[in-house]
Amino acid sequence: MTEFKTIDPAAVEMLKIAAEENISTAFSRAEEVKPCPIGETGACCKICFMGPCRLVGKTTRGVCGADVHTVAARNFARMVAGGASAHSDHGRDLAMTLLHVAKGEGQGYRIRDVAKLHAVARYMGIPTDGRTKEEIALDVATEALANFGRQTGQVTYVTRATKKRQEIWKKLGIVPRGVDREVVETLHRTHEGVDLDPENILRHALRTSLADGWGGSMLATDIGDILFGTPAPISTEINLGVLKEDQVNIIVHGHEPTLSEMIVAAAQDPELIAYAKSKGAKGINLAGICCTGNEILMRHGISPAGNFLHQELAIITGAVEAMIVDVQCIMQALASLAENYHTKLITTSPKAKIPGATHIEFDESRALDSAKEIVRTAIDNYPNRGKTRIPPIKNRLVAGFSHEYLNYMQGGIYRGSFRPLNDAIVQGRIRGAAGVVGCNNARVPQDEGIYNLVKEFVANDVLVVVTGCAATGSAKYGLLSPEIWAATGKGLREVCEAVGVPPVLHLGSCVDNSRILTVLTQMATEGGLGEDIDDLPAVGICPEYMCEKAIAIGTYFVASGAYVLFGVHSPVSASDVVTRLMTEGWESQVGGKLEFEPDWRKILEKSLAHIDKKREKLGLVPWDPNRFGKSGDAVMMEYLKTVAASK
Ligand code: MSK
């Protein structure tokens, strides 16, 4: 570990400057502000005004009599509801944009992926034959929006889960009805004096999370693809070194692609580029942070300047003319930090204002004009730039993998499938699969768990998919670049080389964890690996979770059958009952379980043991690291190396 809580040399460089200049960052505040030891474990109840009641030591019940198990379960369920709300409101906003586009409104937006529109229409049972894309889009948007307010029945995409999974949900009574209904019901149940049974509370938390994963998030991904294009592999660079000394640097940060897509278009506008030149810059350089960064990386190859804990560090470079933010994961500290530099912090969403920031409302009815106004503000700020210190640190990455592209790579347009991947797992060339997702958390060394886990998984023949800040966290160290091949297990390497994909696949932003649900479901239905997600030799890991969205994601993966491990600490450790319900209890009910384990080495150990156990249960050959790696390609590479050495 370095002197600072990060393994990123670019972050270290900026944190040294921050320390010298007495600038506060999340890294320094995490040292100064100690976490509340009672709230941290889930033992603090503050849902009524007889409290807050802190259930520690001899205090085993709050004023109303609630015990620590009820309190911890309630706190957890509210986190799930918070996370589900954030993702789902994002999905709702995209559905509204699609509705506007279908009606010929929404300046600058259009339907970019008609094939995806048709695929989504098919999922929804909407006819496509002989209809214009606008007519289909109108029905798709209307059906998508119905998912939020539906009171009975089920969210549309429940039918995309395996039959077995749907039966499990039905039997348990956790088929999600409508997104808003499940979230509101969680808030009602966890109000003072309503649902006081931890098991019952947690069961509804599962239902609420499913409304996110198979509802709001999946809709956000699908509609994002329809409007902005389904990602395909694309290569660029990452980290603070992508900022440019001689250009207007604009960073987009937050989550919703409706804003960032228009900023991308505005930044490429010849008039605005000329305007930037008139101010003495050589051009406009756009970069991303957090999941907005992932959205524009996946679809346009725009370089990310970093992940969650880089948002302040980017401003400290002194080279950022504007940081444009919308919703989620945006630190309030950015406003006071920006006062020390020339950077303009521009908020754009009516839902998310920050005192001290400049608010330029992003108006979707004149989206491109709004985006141009914002970019112009950034350009106007270029002459105010003072001393810059951009760390010359960056790495290459390949991103842009979608479920559709993976199908295509494994069989072409007409015979796309997951057969080669499943076969490779059956043969033991690939040991299993791991999803490494989620945030940075200033309480643990930035990227340490993410980096080590991804590196160890590929070395052990485990195919890795990454999303969110774990994806950018991996990419900063070359794990998404060709450098990774040398560190990849022989069997995994052989398969990936044959299929033409890297061993670490960037699947997108936080809402795009729904792409992983789709991939896992297809693997389960493809044949050879059981019949549902809980049969697969696969794990989901969130090593550095920071927010409620991560909790919602972890919970919907568990409800979908996955073994999920979170790092940092357990937010329910005060209750052995809740801890048991989330592990043994959920495993017996839905086949998946949720564990919290701060040590990444133990996460690795548990993950590999789980993968091997599932292989054994499926009757597959035990994984052998030396059995493969002697295919034609590998032999040819060795031969070529020998020839080259002999010259
Ligand atoms: S941005 S939710 S810190 S992944 Fe999606 Fe990163 Fe976590 Fe925010």
Side-chain angles (χ1 to χ4, degrees), residues 13 20 45 50 74 102 112 136 190 214 237 246 280 321 374 390 402 447 459 494 505 530 541 615 639:
E13 211 166 295
E20 277 160 25
C45 182
M50 297 189 286
R74 268 198 308 225
R112 283 221 174 80
I136 301 167
T190 56
W214 296 85
E237 294 174 323
D246 52 4
E321 274 57 56
I374 293 167
I390 301 171
S402 54
D447 301 336
E494 213 171 64
L505 301 163
I541 296 154
R615 291 189 65 84
Y639 170 72

Side-chain angles (χ1 to χ4, degrees), residues 146-203:
N147 275 264
F148 296 92
R150 187 166 285 146
Q151 303 303 319
T152 54
Q154 59 187 39
V155 298
T156 316
Y157 284 165
V158 161
T159 52
R160 287 174 67 172
T162 65
K163 288 271 173 291
K164 186 179 153 195
R165 186 61 28 197
Q166 291 180 48
E167 280 309 312
I168 290 170
W169 293 340
K170 212 180 282 170
K171 206 169 132 213
L172 260 183
I174 60 168
V175 177
R177 293 157 293 187
V179 176
D180 298 354
R181 169 150 197 189
E182 305 311 349
V183 169
V184 168
E185 192 171 315
T186 296
L187 295 180
H188 177 195
R189 282 171 180 245
T190 56
H191 181 275
E192 189 278 327
V194 186
D195 198 351
L196 303 168
D197 173 358
E199 187 174 0
N200 209 39
I201 295 167
L202 291 175
R203 190 176 304 124

Side-chain angles (χ1 to χ4, degrees), residues 111-410:
I111 294 162
R112 283 221 174 80
D113 191 337
V114 178
K116 182 91 183 209
L117 175 68
H118 282 228
V120 170
R122 273 195 299 279
Y123 287 136
M124 294 179 166
I126 291 167
T128 55
D129 280 356
R131 305 183 75 201
T132 65
K133 58 180 191 296
E134 287 75 19
E135 285 168 342
I136 301 167
L138 188 66
D139 285 355
V140 165
T142 307
E143 174 60 22
L145 287 167
N147 275 264
F148 296 92
R150 187 166 285 146
Q151 303 303 319
T152 54
Q154 59 187 39
V155 298
T156 316
Y157 284 165
V158 161
T159 52
R160 287 174 67 172
T162 65
K163 288 271 173 291
K164 186 179 153 195
R165 186 61 28 197
Q166 291 180 48
E167 280 309 312
I168 290 170
W169 293 340
K170 212 180 282 170
K171 206 169 132 213
L172 260 183
I174 60 168
V175 177
R177 293 157 293 187
V179 176
D180 298 354
R181 169 150 197 189
E182 305 311 349
V183 169
V184 168
E185 192 171 315
T186 296
L187 295 180
H188 177 195
R189 282 171 180 245
T190 56
H191 181 275
E192 189 278 327
V194 186
D195 198 351
L196 303 168
D197 173 358
E199 187 174 0
N200 209 39
I201 295 167
L202 291 175
R203 190 176 304 124
H204 190 71
L206 290 175
R207 192 176 202 174
T208 306
S209 74
L210 288 171
D212 174 3
W214 296 85
S217 281
M218 206 172 269
L219 287 165
T221 296
D222 278 356
I223 298 173
D225 286 353
I226 292 170
L227 286 170
F228 310 121
T230 302
I234 201 157
S235 174
T236 185
E237 294 174 323
I238 180 166
N239 214 338
L240 294 171
V242 305
L243 297 174
K244 297 209 161 74
E245 290 286 355
D246 52 4
Q247 298 199 22
V248 174
N249 288 306
I250 299 175
I251 288 188
V252 278
H253 169 26
H255 278 79
E256 295 188 1
T258 31
L259 167 73
S260 52
E261 282 286 329
M262 286 301 124
I263 299 289
V264 171
Q268 291 166 354
D269 182 274
E271 247 177 61
L272 284 173
I273 293 171
Y275 186 57
K277 287 183 178 166
S278 77
K279 298 282 177 184
K282 285 205 172 131
I284 303 170
N285 180 43
L286 197 60
I289 294 257
C290 276
C291 281
T292 274
N294 282 318
E295 297 278 358
I296 55 177
L297 161 68
M298 296 286 283
R299 298 194 176 95
H300 301 281
I302 304 277
S303 294
N307 46 1
F308 175 69
L309 283 175
H310 269 40
Q311 57 187 285
E312 293 173 294
L313 309 184
I315 291 180
I316 297 172
T317 64
V320 177
E321 274 57 56
M323 183 173 278
I324 303 163
V325 302
D326 56 6
V327 290
Q328 302 169 23
C329 303
I330 298 146
M331 293 186 195
Q332 180 166 357
L334 292 177
S336 50
L337 175 69
E339 281 169 13
N340 296 289
Y341 306 91
H342 78 304
T343 306
K344 266 198 186 312
L345 177 67
I346 302 174
T347 52
T348 57
S349 167
K351 292 178 201 163
K353 295 188 177 180
I354 304 177
T358 305
H359 188 75
I360 306 179
E361 196 133 318
F362 183 66
D363 176 359
E364 274 193 29
S365 66
R366 41 180 294 278
L368 190 55
D369 290 344
S370 279
K372 284 183 184 173
E373 188 186 331
I374 293 167
V375 169
R376 191 174 283 271
T377 307
I379 296 169
D380 284 335
N381 199 23
Y382 182 73
N384 300 326
R385 194 191 272 188
K387 189 175 156 207
T388 61
R389 38 295 167 91
I390 301 171
I393 297 168
K394 55 187 176 178
N395 220 317
R396 280 217 79 78
L397 80 155
V398 178
F401 292 92
S402 54
H403 166 252
E404 288 80 356
Y405 187 79
L406 293 176
N407 258 295
Y408 169 72
M409 280 310 289
Q410 295 181 81

Side-chain angles (χ1 to χ4, degrees), residues 560-571:
S560 304
Y563 176 32
V564 176
L565 285 142
F566 271 46
V568 191
H569 73 269
S570 165

Side-chain angles (χ1 to χ4, degrees), residues 43-55 59-68 71 74 192-193:
C44 176
C45 182
K46 55 183 183 67
I47 61 164
C48 87
F49 306 101
M50 297 189 286
C53 296
R54 306 187 308 166
L55 306 187
T59 311
T60 56
R61 290 187 182 267
V63 176
C64 72
D67 64 19
V68 73
V71 167
R74 268 198 308 225
E192 189 278 327

